Amino acid sequence: MTRHDDRFRENRFETLAVGAAENATHSDKGGTSDVIPPIHLSSTFEWASGDDANEHDYSRKSNPTRAALEEQLARLEGGEHGLAFASGMAAISTTMLSLVPPGGHLVSSDSVYSGTEKLLTESIANHFGVNVEFVDAREPENVDAAVDSDTDLIWAETPTNPLMRLCDIRSIADIAHDHAIPFGVDNTFASPYFQAPLELGADIAVHSTTKYLNGHSDSIGGAIVTDDDEIFEKLAFSQQIGFGNMLSPFDCYLVTRGIKTLPARMDHHQENAMAVARLLEAHDRVARVHYPGLESHPQYDLAAKQMSGYSGMLSFEFDGTMAEIEAFIDSLEIFTPGTSLGGVESLIEVPSLMIPDKVSHRSDTTEIPETLVRISVGIEHTDDLREDLRTALP
Ligand code: PLP
């Protein structure tokens, strides 16, 4: 729980979250020392030579609002370089397509967000002929057994969506470094407030900023942070020139604004999630609760070691019929049924019911149980959330 203090000593996480974006504004030529980074909508910037040269020329390549966000993202993840993308999937696909050549070899955790799984199986493997190997990354030795000197990328997500499984970032990073393979981690569920993959040895931290970083369910975006100059050059080229899939200035502004309250929101999300997890765990119609903050989570010790908190994401297995689950969802008044997560409002999703085409049936170990319910616990009053669930559960 001391990570933030160790890492920032003088600039603690909460302080950086509120203030980091301002530096970019003040160094912006012609700026007006705004307290918040303004939205620069200009697609192009006046050219000048010598001392008057403008650091921005065309907004696909760089834009002052995006630069402010990218700097802020890098500082929060404790990395050198940040890049902001049009969605989380844009950040993930850009990482994979830029670092893995056609016919290359990619080793991925078998428990990943369904969109990432589809990208890996349908595009990266089928379309680009990449040998994608899925392994149960809960055991680092499975990753070690799968990689060889030709492996181009190791990919993991922790905690995973929606099974809330973890992988040991430091152990996998050691394996990656032994083989000089880049290691990317989807840090969306924890947010940089609760987990620092780069500090644990990963080379790339990726986010769907749509979730906790923006935090208000009103922007789709993605981010990459890395310390590695070579990786950064490749990803920046793809973002700015190759794919042109950068985040718009308005969305950059929204994410920059959202980040200012990330620490306050995450603490509240976690407090509420813990209360909800304990209520569910004690309920006789709940077979199992998946929340890394519960002692009953099989990887609780790892969670306590590599995370400084557990966020608002949890899932549980309902002990009953699908008709009962539908009745339960219908009876809820505060939890809104819907996909997505990480916003201030509580959302509830039954993957088999609401997104059946996205549910993984790839293997027995990654199969999502039909009665699995995923909750993104918001920041409403804890008692109201508990009461809503207690009343709606049969
Ligand atoms: N990574 C994780 C863990 C996710 O849950 C999601 C979306 O739910 C994504 C990536 C994709 O993000 P986006 O919807 O912003 O493309």
Side-chain angles (χ1 to χ4, degrees):
M1 292 285 188
T2 58
R3 174 173 77 80
H4 304 137
D5 294 0
D6 288 350
R7 194 163 104 203
F8 296 116
R9 276 185 281 270
E10 287 153 22
N11 288 311
R12 290 179 178 82
F13 194 99
E14 293 80 350
T15 312
L16 284 178
V18 170
E22 288 150 30
N23 300 339
T25 314
H26 291 304
S27 63
D28 178 24
K29 281 186 196 133
T32 48
S33 296
D34 303 46
V35 172
I36 58 122
I39 309 175
H40 291 261
L41 292 174
S42 194
S43 57
T44 189
F45 301 88
E46 187 176 329
W47 180 86
S49 59
D51 288 349
D52 293 330
N54 195 340
E55 66 176 287
H56 306 287
D57 58 6
Y58 184 56
S59 271
R60 170 158 49 73
K61 275 182 68 192
S62 75
N63 168 284
T65 315
R66 196 167 92 232
L69 171 63
E70 289 176 335
E71 184 186 329
Q72 190 185 26
L73 289 165
R75 292 179 68 176
L76 290 186
E77 275 288 6
E80 276 296 308
H81 311 285
L83 290 166
F85 289 84
S87 66
M89 287 315 298
I92 294 169
S93 55
T94 300
T95 305
M96 292 175 178
L97 291 170
S98 307
L99 302 183
V100 185
H105 183 221
L106 192 160
V107 173
S108 171
S109 158
D110 62 2
S111 180
V112 286
Y113 164 58
S114 58
T116 306
E117 183 184 322
K118 291 245 178 307
L119 169 75
L120 283 166
T121 51
E122 288 169 26
S123 305
I124 304 287
N126 285 354
H127 194 69
F128 292 98
V130 171
N131 173 12
V132 176
E133 222 169 312
F134 288 103
V135 296
D136 186 342
R138 285 174 296 180
E139 301 299 337
E141 46 271 33
N142 294 337
V143 177
D144 201 18
V147 297
D148 59 37
S149 56
D150 292 330
T151 305
D152 299 289
L153 179 67
I154 301 175
W155 185 261
E157 183 180 306
T158 184
T160 66
N161 181 2
L163 295 171
M164 306 304 298
R165 291 180 180 167
L166 310 186
C167 66
D168 185 332
I169 299 176
R170 195 179 288 285
S171 298
I172 298 177
D174 288 345
I175 295 165
H177 294 158
D178 284 350
H179 294 82
I181 305 165
F183 174 34
V185 175
D186 187 332
N187 197 25
T188 299
F189 265 37
S191 92
Y193 182 60
F194 283 143
Q195 184 168 265
L198 301 187
E199 214 175 70
L200 293 166
D203 302 290
I204 307 155
V206 175
H207 286 276
S208 164
T209 61
T210 313
K211 318 301 185 194
Y212 284 117
L213 283 165
N214 180 56
H216 294 77
S217 306
D218 52 9
S219 160
I220 298 279
I224 292 174
V225 177
T226 182
D227 271 336
D228 187 306
D229 295 344
E230 212 178 304
I231 290 174
F232 170 70
E233 291 302 329
K234 284 187 189 168
L235 301 183
F237 175 84
S238 297
Q239 180 214 38
Q240 296 160 13
I241 317 284
F243 304 144
N245 53 5
M246 70 292 159
L247 193 61
S248 78
F250 185 69
D251 287 284
C252 288
Y253 159 76
L254 286 176
V255 180
T256 297
R257 185 164 83 152
I259 284 174
K260 286 172 188 279
T261 56
L262 180 72
R265 284 186 285 110
M266 292 312 288
D267 284 338
H268 202 152
H269 281 297
Q270 165 169 263
E271 200 183 314
N272 280 353
M274 189 60 93
V276 165
R278 293 216 185 280
L279 177 142
L280 291 170
E281 201 170 40
H283 200 282
D284 59 6
R285 299 302 302 277
V286 173
R288 191 171 300 131
V289 181
H290 306 280
Y291 186 60
L294 287 180
E295 298 79 358
S296 58
H297 190 286
Q299 295 171 291
Y300 174 75
D301 290 344
L302 174 61
K305 194 173 80 176
Q306 76 178 9
M307 304 174 76
S308 53
Y310 311 104
S311 95
M313 292 307 301
L314 59 89
S315 56
F316 69 94
E317 288 168 45
F318 180 75
D319 184 9
T321 64
M322 288 309 288
E324 284 178 311
I325 287 202
E326 283 196 53
F328 157 62
I329 298 287
D330 278 351
S331 312
L332 290 163
E333 289 185 357
I334 296 177
F335 289 83
T336 303
T339 196
S340 202
L341 58 109
V344 289
E345 65 288 311
S346 291
L347 296 177
I348 191 158
E349 178 191 273
V350 183
S352 67
L353 190 67
M354 299 178 189
I355 48 162
D357 54 321
K358 289 201 199 154
V359 171
S360 174
H361 298 291
R362 202 165 27 75
S363 75
D364 286 352
T365 53
T366 55
E367 187 146 10
I368 315 271
E370 192 184 28
T371 59
L372 187 94
V373 181
R374 189 191 77 180
I375 299 185
S376 172
V377 183
I379 62 167
E380 301 90 342
H381 198 287
T382 321
D383 293 346
D384 291 336
L385 296 179
R386 273 198 292 230
E387 193 50 34
D388 201 25
L389 288 169
R390 214 180 275 128
T391 313
L393 277 165

